[in-house]
Amino acid sequence: MLKLSDVHKIFNEGTVDEKIALNHINLSLKKGDFVTIIGSNGAGKSTLMNIISGLLTPDSGTVFIDGKNVTQIPEYKRSKLIGRVFQDPMSGTAPSMTIEENLAMAYSRNKKRTLKFGVTSKRREFFRESLATLNLGLEDRLNAKVGLLSGGERQAISLLMATFTEPAILLLDEHTAALDPARAQLITEITKDIVEKFELTTLMVTHNMQQALDLGNRLIMMDKGQIILEVNEEEKNDLTIERLLEEFQRIRGEKMATDRTLLA
Ligand SMILES: Nc1ncnc2c1ncn2[C@@H]1O[C@H](COP(=O)(O)OP(=O)(O)OP(=O)(O)O)[C@@H](O)[C@H]1O
Ligand SMILES: [Mg+2]
């Protein structure tokens, strides 16, 4: 479903600010794989996401989505293939529009013949049913402006909207990091349900090691632009935070910088 082959990305090449953000990355995901990504600040996690979504083009290497070479295809042309939820709850939804308008916009994005914001009663019913699965009572607030909702509610709606396009890949970049622990837990649960229900092939960046262990069937650890550890399905079940930290030290010969909420 997703294949990165020898993907290399350097920022500001040839200047004093030169930075190798991705250093010859290889990664393959089968349909339905749910890979959690951990790694310190600046490891290259978001750059990896941006190259998959098409926001950035690699300097060399190839990106395949669903068997198709998309390396040079710009972001807007592969948006059908990608669902994405960012760290900032404000970035995924339009605050001045209602819940229903936001959902309608996401829904029509990949349907060729629909009225732009027209909502038929059948579709409204679909929106209500979809919102009800979140268990947040949002199905009764279709006309509420999204700008008035909490960060957690907005992230839940963003997740739901990402599924409307039936994406080949779902990209989650620390999408629970800006939430308080209770809401982060809630969004974690909703993420799990949605990924299972729609059998989405998913890449999730998180700074929370426990979350990285609890979710998904595979885990990768990045550092300095490289994938330094890959944990497969069988190994992942027995993995602990202590073992992960030990692994890092063994590979890198130094202690992992336990920055931010890494150990939360
Ligand atoms: N547009 C850019 N221009 C120049 N340097 C960049 C750019 N984007 C990222 N970088 C650099 O590339 C490296 C990787 O950045 P990236 O954002 O991928 O890290 P990350 O693993 O997502 O980190 P974090 O955990 O802090 O979000 C960093 O050193 C960063 O400063
Ligand atoms: Mg990042």
Side-chain angles (χ1 to χ4, degrees):
M1 188 52 82
L2 174 71
K3 188 172 177 202
L4 302 185
S5 179
D6 206 25
V7 166
H8 201 65
K9 182 71 188 177
I10 307 176
F11 288 111
N12 307 314
E13 192 169 5
T15 73
V16 286
D17 295 326
E18 180 169 303
K19 179 82 206 175
I20 301 176
L22 293 178
N23 197 347
H24 298 288
I25 295 282
N26 291 294
L27 180 68
S28 281
L29 267 68
K30 288 209 257 328
K31 185 167 169 41
D33 268 349
F34 184 171
V35 180
T36 56
I37 306 179
I38 55 171
S40 38
N41 295 122
K45 305 177 299 295
S46 294
T47 304
L48 183 74
M49 297 289 208
N50 289 334
I51 280 181
I52 295 167
S53 74
L55 190 69
L56 292 173
T57 311
D59 296 321
S60 60
T62 322
V63 181
F64 296 93
I65 298 178
D66 208 3
K68 192 174 167 209
N69 183 343
V70 297
T71 317
Q72 300 299 331
I73 295 180
E75 187 179 33
Y76 73 96
K77 281 195 185 161
R78 48 174 122 154
S79 64
K80 251 182 219 176
L81 300 170
I82 312 276
R84 200 165 183 188
V85 183
F86 297 89
Q87 179 172 354
D88 179 4
M90 301 306 149
S91 69
T93 44
S96 61
M97 286 163 54
T98 66
I99 293 179
E100 180 172 271
E101 286 165 348
N102 271 277
L103 296 182
M105 196 170 63
Y107 190 84
S108 63
R109 203 167 284 156
N110 291 300
K111 312 276 185 273
K112 282 206 180 77
R113 264 181 282 121
T114 47
L115 294 171
K116 222 176 175 189
F117 299 119
V119 180
T120 60
S121 56
K122 194 173 153 208
R123 194 166 317 150
R124 180 165 293 139
E125 200 41 47
F126 167 72
F127 290 160
R128 263 195 231 286
E129 281 169 14
S130 303
L131 286 165
T133 63
L134 301 175
N135 283 319
L136 296 171
L138 294 171
E139 63 276 17
D140 300 322
R141 301 172 67 190
L142 281 178
N143 294 314
K145 290 262 196 293
V146 164
L148 301 174
L149 302 180
S150 73
E153 288 165 342
R154 291 182 71 152
Q155 287 305 69
I157 291 174
S158 294
L159 268 171
L160 199 61
M161 281 164 46
T163 67
F164 285 177
T165 58
E166 295 168 32
I169 313 283
L170 178 64
L171 302 176
L172 307 170
D173 196 349
E174 299 193 55
H175 72 307
T176 65
L179 307 174
D180 64 60
R183 284 186 193 276
Q185 185 56 36
L186 178 77
I187 296 302
T188 300
E189 293 299 324
I190 291 173
T191 303
K192 206 170 163 215
D193 290 348
I194 281 182
V195 169
E196 274 171 20
K197 184 173 163 198
F198 296 95
E199 297 174 354
L200 293 170
T201 308
T202 304
L203 272 172
M204 181 182 86
V205 173
T206 179
H207 271 272
N208 182 325
M209 282 203 178
Q210 195 57 52
Q211 189 186 36
L213 293 174
D214 292 345
L215 287 176
N217 64 328
R218 294 169 56 190
L219 178 147
I220 63 177
M221 187 190 274
M222 291 184 68
D223 188 50
K224 300 190 174 85
Q226 293 178 309
I227 294 174
I228 60 167
L229 179 70
E230 288 201 59
V231 182
N232 65 26
E233 194 147 15
E234 300 83 68
E235 298 162 341
K236 190 164 181 291
N237 292 331
D238 303 325
L239 202 60
T240 59
I241 292 178
E242 293 72 44
R243 292 251 327 269
L244 268 178
L245 293 172
E246 278 168 25
E247 266 315 290
F248 182 90
Q249 192 164 0
R250 189 182 64 75
I251 297 162
R252 280 299 190 218
E254 56 184 270
K255 276 211 161 81
M256 190 175 197
T258 47
D259 48 2
R260 287 211 265 159
T261 54
L262 211 50
L263 296 168

